[in-house]
Amino acid sequence: MRVITFGEIMLRLAPEGYSRFIQAASYGATYGGGEANVAVSLAGFGIDAAFVTKLPKHEIGQGAVNSLREFGVDTSLIVRGGERVGIYFLEKGASQRPSKVIYDRAHSAIAAASEADFDWDRVFTGSTWFHFTGITPALSDNAAAICMAACKAARSKGLTVSCDLNYRANLWTREKAGNVMGSLMEYVDICIANEEDAYDVFGIKASGSDVTSGKISHDGYKEVAAALIKRFNFKKTAITLRESFSANDNNWGAMLCTGDDCYFSRKYAVHIVDRVGGGDSFGAGLIYAALQGMPEQEGLEFAVAASCLKHTIEGDFNFVSTDEVKKLAAGNASGRVQR
Amino acid sequence: MRVITFGEIMLRLAPEGYSRFIQAASYGATYGGGEANVAVSLAGFGIDAAFVTKLPKHEIGQGAVNSLREFGVDTSLIVRGGERVGIYFLEKGASQRPSKVIYDRAHSAIAAASEADFDWDRVFTGSTWFHFTGITPALSDNAAAICMAACKAARSKGLTVSCDLNYRANLWTREKAGNVMGSLMEYVDICIANEEDAYDVFGIKASGSDVTSGKISHDGYKEVAAALIKRFNFKKTAITLRESFSANDNNWGAMLCTGDDCYFSRKYAVHIVDRVGGGDSFGAGLIYAALQGMPEQEGLEFAVAASCLKHTIEGDFNFVSTDEVKKLAAGNASGRVQR
Amino acid sequence: MRVITFGEIMLRLAPEGYSRFIQAASYGATYGGGEANVAVSLAGFGIDAAFVTKLPKHEIGQGAVNSLREFGVDTSLIVRGGERVGIYFLEKGASQRPSKVIYDRAHSAIAAASEADFDWDRVFTGSTWFHFTGITPALSDNAAAICMAACKAARSKGLTVSCDLNYRANLWTREKAGNVMGSLMEYVDICIANEEDAYDVFGIKASGSDVTSGKISHDGYKEVAAALIKRFNFKKTAITLRESFSANDNNWGAMLCTGDDCYFSRKYAVHIVDRVGGGDSFGAGLIYAALQGMPEQEGLEFAVAASCLKHTIEGDFNFVSTDEVKKLAAGNASGRVQR
Amino acid sequence: MRVITFGEIMLRLAPEGYSRFIQAASYGATYGGGEANVAVSLAGFGIDAAFVTKLPKHEIGQGAVNSLREFGVDTSLIVRGGERVGIYFLEKGASQRPSKVIYDRAHSAIAAASEADFDWDRVFTGSTWFHFTGITPALSDNAAAICMAACKAARSKGLTVSCDLNYRANLWTREKAGNVMGSLMEYVDICIANEEDAYDVFGIKASGSDVTSGKISHDGYKEVAAALIKRFNFKKTAITLRESFSANDNNWGAMLCTGDDCYFSRKYAVHIVDRVGGGDSFGAGLIYAALQGMPEQEGLEFAVAASCLKHTIEGDFNFVSTDEVKKLAAGNASGRVQR
Amino acid sequence: MRVITFGEIMLRLAPEGYSRFIQAASYGATYGGGEANVAVSLAGFGIDAAFVTKLPKHEIGQGAVNSLREFGVDTSLIVRGGERVGIYFLEKGASQRPSKVIYDRAHSAIAAASEADFDWDRVFTGSTWFHFTGITPALSDNAAAICMAACKAARSKGLTVSCDLNYRANLWTREKAGNVMGSLMEYVDICIANEEDAYDVFGIKASGSDVTSGKISHDGYKEVAAALIKRFNFKKTAITLRESFSANDNNWGAMLCTGDDCYFSRKYAVHIVDRVGGGDSFGAGLIYAALQGMPEQEGLEFAVAASCLKHTIEGDFNFVSTDEVKKLAAGNASGRVQR
Amino acid sequence: MRVITFGEIMLRLAPEGYSRFIQAASYGATYGGGEANVAVSLAGFGIDAAFVTKLPKHEIGQGAVNSLREFGVDTSLIVRGGERVGIYFLEKGASQRPSKVIYDRAHSAIAAASEADFDWDRVFTGSTWFHFTGITPALSDNAAAICMAACKAARSKGLTVSCDLNYRANLWTREKAGNVMGSLMEYVDICIANEEDAYDVFGIKASGSDVTSGKISHDGYKEVAAALIKRFNFKKTAITLRESFSANDNNWGAMLCTGDDCYFSRKYAVHIVDRVGGGDSFGAGLIYAALQGMPEQEGLEFAVAASCLKHTIEGDFNFVSTDEVKKLAAGNASGRVQR
């Protein structure tokens, strides 16, 4: 059971604590990005996970490789070359002040890569699962073309393909996103989205929902899932359900729909340490659950518990063991000291 | 539209995080003080704001100047000389443990300054607004005399004068405060106070209020505002309304009364990062709103939203843009990531 | 009034903030351990408190001595020798993720000490109170024997003896704990326990309680206290009552039973900074109250307020003054800034 | 006396201490760049100095503005717009290991700026001096064109123009540098270079010098200066003379030639804290000396002493007062504590 | 070409900068140990290097694994189990104050491991080289037995075996070291030692040397090497030559003798950042040179240049590329900035 | 053998590393002062040492007490009261840039103390030695009077009195220093001075010396010592001899003269970590040597070796053991790692 994820890994530069950007005298430096985050989660669960991207040969690129290796991800398929590593600056919000992201990712090695950089047949040999997100095709037309090539190769090799829609308004328009993602969906088996993505990318809206106010209607989301499945013929669609009361306090849960049934997870009241990567950790949990053959409800609870824990961990990556996730999914949420 | 604020800027020394003083191996070093905080807020809103004080020529004094320049305050009117920069040590509270301030500000350059140090006619030329707080006259008899000279000059030059009562029990007695502040109020157009100041300085009490317990009666505060306006003939009086549940969690709002009407703002449940300077950021918001000619309710909401955000920012200074304030005032308090 | 506490003081290594162990590039280094924590609390309250243990002569051992001296504990009775200082690694939990402790304390100087290392008659000369916890006899058979020697000497010298049961599952089995602690209880006057200890050590269970779920029945705990008093003839038994909603938010209170009466404290909703040492700070508060001759209810409130404040302080040690504790016990929990 | 400098200011990201890039868990964040460094030096000497560039409106761009304002530089001429702030990563070398710079400055706002962004007639009104370096025209063809426009405007307005050749091999080839810089030199009055620049840019070589080995021949450098003056008709040429024994220890001095005479400065054995910006601080010293009308030898010694001190200061900027520089230039190099 | 190294990897806890142990409020946490250091160096040179040891399953053990993976070492052969990770505390010396190491490594997982934990035939399959040091057999009798088993298996599989004598006086006596190491030497092809090891372990002394005073006689070391080769029939013996002027400044070089010839390297005057691991980086350089088939003198210069650079890098590990090493070995030691 | 030292202990605020004041975002916070430094050194050597001063009751005052207790100094004689703790800001110099001290010590509790605060008969009961420096009488007229009272009491109780002249130009004039110190010298047995003090305080000058240039003539200093002894009838005079090449590199040695003989110590070339407190650590070494009855040359070498090591330690305090000092005094200055 080998999982391939493909996308961009960025240098993440975040001021310490709740410092605003203009107060920062230094930046904590870690690495992260949607698909890389999924690979790290899976490696932490004991899955053979490889991340595919393109990274410059210099030390900032090497730092990204090392960070993945450190947490057990296979980096042997990463192509080395190009000019720069994408960067994102992250300012952590508090209470009524939202977190803020400044992207400096244009012209990165992966955004400037060409189709010829990747030999997908070789990459997918021996693999069972391919995962990407809607961020990667948004990086550049080249990146979108590479995604398409990867999807086709994955389909032809018989891999399960999952995609997290992950709409990013500052990377492309809804219109372009709809077109590009629409054609990629043909090759996708399992679709993951947050409560806004389906609308942003495909114009599919949950009736009765108002994301900003934190109101979420279960029936509305069932509609959305049903519409997605109907349009793209997905085997499963999962939607994460976040109710945002403040930058510190959110409710977190998710829904999973197969064609026939919809499952809703327990809902966690989370006091947030770092919510970036929350969706990615959910996706990884779902992939893990599928690979382990967990029943739908159990798998969904695993994924939600894993991503609940992500919110308590600094950085993009989710450092939790399957033991920790299972304990929480089993109901132990009291936070008592483990000695 | 140029605003002059006058007072003391101190070196603020605060242990990191929730460390108590006796655990501190280092102190974060920033600068702050009531009127300086107002100037920084205004500069951040795009207003031409100058801060007047006296500071030693050495590097600790220069650090205060640089800190103001960094955030866009005009420091060209600052008088250089004197022996020391006032210091305050700040220990951040948590839960049931209150924050603690140790003042080491006696003998500072501004407390020891003389009237001859300041040429108020020159200072106020080309200015529209003068702001000071009740801390400055409390520093020393000299400082009180300088305040009086400034108020008279401001009045004669036709500036609007605002004052934040800001009673500090460790700087003077209620009796002395009442006398000195009473005579200064003659020159004040707009009076700002927190829920305790009116009583501490002038013996005016909100009936039915118990500040420590966090109970606040709207009608009681209307009484207080009416009494202030009546006694000192203010054009407006604003009172900030804090309900303190713990060192981490407060409710925050405010009231604004003109002679005729009283307006109450929305109330925010704030999870606190740093509440020092909260009142100053409210005052700055109020001044900004007045300079922009906002209607009273809108101006009050702007000021409260600005100061709500201050509670999420480390240090005395409020680093927020008018965009951020207006978004919050418009109701977007969900704290969702801004990408 | 001189208090002797005996046990192990460890080097505590904790990643900064909410960093997980595998993210840690450095560890904050402090010292702590149940009985040392009690001694530091008492010294901070102005009591003559001495801590007895064995520590290596090298600098890591000296660091432990210095840390105790810094906060006013008499270290002149500490025996120097042995190979290593026990270590515990502490990862701070958040929200649904529990705090985690990794012990590396086997083979420490005190675990490997011999009875001959301590001359209890000399130690107890001029002392009024002896305190230890259930951790110390769990360290090794030697340590248990030293405890027994200390208890006998304390009894024969007429000291009051208090013990905090403090069961640690990774140091010994319930069966062994029951046997060893059972024979030590003969010499104990005042027994302190948390809501789980009585069951873990002696199989005494509160009916209707479910610790993990945070449900606590007052009557159930009265039963437990009565059973403990009956079996071991204690003068008093105190039980701390923690309701754990998450790693960040707990309710905290306690109960004190003499043979005749049971007292329940106020309950505090605590937003946690560091909960390690919470029980120890309660024990210290109780000892202080007894030494001062406070009435039972007042003493209990003092102990609970002291330990409530401990939860807001980083490290094992509780740095609070009797003034601060008394203010909180008197009802001032609003966390307003003290200037 | 007002000095305008024009160029790029970058975000400088440097691991702490001697950490290599791949060890870095955080980066110290300051700002710097050749011409910005000169402006900061001059502002610190009390000169009215303005820096011209283009910077994005977001907070990383604002941080650059704030950093300049903090140290007294006039930032009112900076154009706001564009996508990104150039970045350079700096790894500090030690002993035989050289410092290492990774540039991530392509596509910065200033590199992508257009001629229409700058109104040089307005910029130069009221100014006496214009300074730029060879880095700016190397950024892009656009930037080179803007430089040319600035030079022409400066000449026509009668400003003195100084240029530091500052060849950067990773920005352009020697050939292109020679062409572009050659045509700009027509407008330059004072040329500053290090011991390699004249050769790298114009193929002019000091006979008998071997830079890498640290051997420098005085006569050889006189030849170089004479050749530069002859070819470009400079009023003065200054060459900094660095002998590099290791990343920690350098000798530092300089030579100044007018058409008629050459002056050599004292030579300092420097134990390095941070040598980036050393050349810029020399240039600033030279400009200051010229503006003050110092005799050539005295001015050269001032510039060398200023830049000697720069090597002891972290960051690109040189934080020294004219007093400190003059004391060192006067011979007090013993480093005794100043109380 | 696959290299196997075997030994202990410890948690290294070092106060920041030049802080003494008793001043430390935190410890920088990295991992290191003789043979692990060699593996990291080799992986950094692009060699397939695997490190064999035993480490507990908990997070401190996992941290050691992650640290090795991060830098490219194959950790798949590491046995997981046992109680604790060995620790060493390191205080960095300065000037006349020496660095100080406190070992807390007794009872570590590898010291307590058994022969059955390692299947050397499997480990060595596909490998070309085996490296260990004199520290490993010093850990415990078990560890010595495992070393012997490894040596025998390596010999029978035809691997080249190298050993760094690395005498540690606090782990065993010279007598025991002599016996145990003597019997292991039978299987060793290449012996590496510092200027004291040959005497400490085997009583072989360089005539005319006085290590403490920094005096080293070339002829004396030739004698030592000849004696070692004669007694144990080594193919090569290499001796590192350190002249210690202070904790900051050392000369560093080495000698390599085959049976027939002795080669001496260039000597570097090193300004030290961190000298721990200096010998290991030399050993790795020598192994790399041998695997690449470099001539003796060139290989020796490579190894010495690599280890010279190690002295400029914090931590046990040597983060240098073959490019960097070769540049230095080629004579570029000026430490000029690489842009 | 109990030693009493009397003077001021200040809060020392120093930017990290080589940061200049105006770059500092935080200050490392330790405590120090001439006589406190001597007490800490002596306690570290195992001597019963008590420090006498006056300190405010607040936490900054308590921090000073705790810092002394931590390192074994008896603080039971410290008087609590007064307003503020003296502060000094310290910027560490490098190479040609000198270290810089900004004093903010006026109005401190000890400067404002009265004679009635100290009961010297009680203080000196059971003591053998009294030490103070020329800084204390310079603080204020009150402080000078307290010094005189202490000296008289010490003489009448038969204690040995030592004084370090320690002239501070920013605290008083040479003239006032000469008068006040002159009358105190009547009670002093052992006089310690640096190479400038004798001239600054008493106008006694070494012929042929030029301190700034680093030139020191042995014969000149003998003259100075002889003149001091003759004028004040000292039993011994010791003069520290510093040759300052840069802020990083000094030579350090000392001379000791009895009436009859002069002894010169070995001279150390020191690479400086922190030179503040160097003279104090020398004084402590001399007192220790006298208390132990060491011969003059041996005692002088002990004191110089102790203070040589001080230069390698951050902060005012000298953390060295007698073992470490003796090893260095015996000639082991190679700085080799101690494992």
Side-chain angles (χ1 to χ4, degrees), chain D residues 204-227:
Chain D
I204 298 171
K205 194 171 182 179
S207 55
S209 75
D210 175 353
V211 166
T212 311
S213 74
K215 291 269 181 351
I216 290 182
S217 139
H218 275 200
D219 285 344
Y221 281 113
K222 283 188 192 174
E223 284 172 51
V224 171

Side-chain angles (χ1 to χ4, degrees), chain A:
Chain A
M1 286 188 311
R2 175 168 166 91
V3 178
I4 306 293
T5 77
F6 167 65
E8 178 167 27
I9 182 165
M10 293 174 284
L11 175 60
R12 162 186 158 142
L13 295 172
E16 200 184 358
Y18 293 111
S19 168
R20 298 219 72 176
F21 284 131
I22 61 166
Q23 299 175 282
S26 69
Y27 289 98
T30 54
Y31 291 88
E35 301 87 351
N37 301 346
V38 169
V40 168
S41 269
L42 289 170
F45 294 153
I47 299 293
D48 175 8
F51 178 63
V52 178
T53 192
K54 185 172 182 183
L55 281 168
K57 287 176 184 163
H58 59 49
E59 285 91 338
I60 310 304
Q62 188 61 39
V65 171
N66 287 6
S67 176
L68 292 162
R69 287 201 299 210
E70 181 179 359
F71 300 109
V73 174
D74 178 353
T75 60
S76 62
L77 299 171
I78 294 177
V79 176
R80 299 302 292 273
E83 295 301 318
R84 66 184 303 261
V85 175
I87 294 176
Y88 84 98
F89 296 91
L90 173 66
E91 178 185 280
K92 190 182 287 192
S95 204
Q96 285 79 8
R97 178 169 61 79
S99 289
K100 195 161 189 176
V101 167
I102 296 177
Y103 278 133
D104 180 16
R105 64 196 298 182
H107 313 289
S108 70
I110 183 64
S114 70
E115 281 189 70
D117 281 328
F118 303 94
D119 175 354
W120 291 108
D121 275 353
R122 192 176 67 82
V123 165
F124 288 135
T125 299
S127 299
T128 32
W129 195 291
F130 174 58
H131 177 79
F132 72 105
T133 80
I135 297 171
T136 306
L139 295 176
S140 67
D141 290 345
N142 275 13
I146 300 170
C147 272
M148 180 55 83
C151 280
K152 288 181 177 170
R155 168 65 52 97
S156 78
K157 288 267 188 179
L159 280 74
T160 300
V161 177
S162 57
C163 176
D164 186 333
L165 296 184
N166 248 345
Y167 177 69
R168 291 288 181 271
N170 46 12
L171 293 182
W172 54 3
T173 61
R174 288 176 175 173
E175 191 181 7
K176 184 159 188 192
N179 289 338
V180 173
M181 292 300 285
S183 54
L184 287 165
M185 287 307 102
E186 184 182 333
Y187 304 91
V188 169
D189 302 294
I190 295 176
C191 175
I192 303 163
N194 70 21
E195 63 281 13
E196 296 171 323
D197 288 332
Y199 175 71
D200 286 336
V201 181
F202 298 121
I204 299 171
K205 195 171 181 177
S207 55
S209 76
D210 175 353
V211 165
T212 311
S213 73
K215 294 266 180 352
I216 291 181
S217 141
H218 275 201
D219 284 345
Y221 282 113
K222 284 188 190 173
E223 286 172 49
V224 171
L228 282 166
I229 289 175
K230 191 172 167 199
R231 193 185 305 178
F232 298 111
N233 203 23
F234 299 134
K235 289 182 191 142
K236 298 182 199 174
T237 294
I239 300 181
T240 56
L241 307 174
R242 182 186 298 280
E243 297 167 89
S244 196
F245 306 114
S246 78
N248 297 114
D249 289 289
N250 285 187
N251 279 348
W252 177 254
M255 178 192 68
L256 176 69
C257 293
T258 60
D260 306 313
D261 300 297
C262 281
Y263 307 85
F264 283 85
S265 78
R266 177 177 319 166
K267 184 161 78 176
Y268 295 96
V270 187
H271 193 63
I272 295 175
V273 171
D274 185 341
R275 49 149 292 182
V276 179
D280 305 320
S281 61
F282 173 78
L286 222 57
I287 295 171
Y288 177 79
L291 290 171
Q292 301 297 313
M294 290 187 193
E296 303 299 0
Q297 184 72 39
E298 182 187 338
L300 178 67
E301 295 291 1
F302 182 91
V304 170
S307 50
C308 168
L309 289 171
K310 167 61 200 69
H311 289 76
T312 72
I313 294 172
E314 300 276 8
D316 274 50
F317 295 163
N318 192 21
F319 303 116
V320 291
S321 66
T322 54
D323 265 12
E324 290 173 318
V325 175
K326 286 176 181 170
K327 262 187 205 159
L328 176 55
N332 188 344
S334 71
R336 297 200 151 237
V337 180
Q338 308 291 310
R339 287 193 235 242

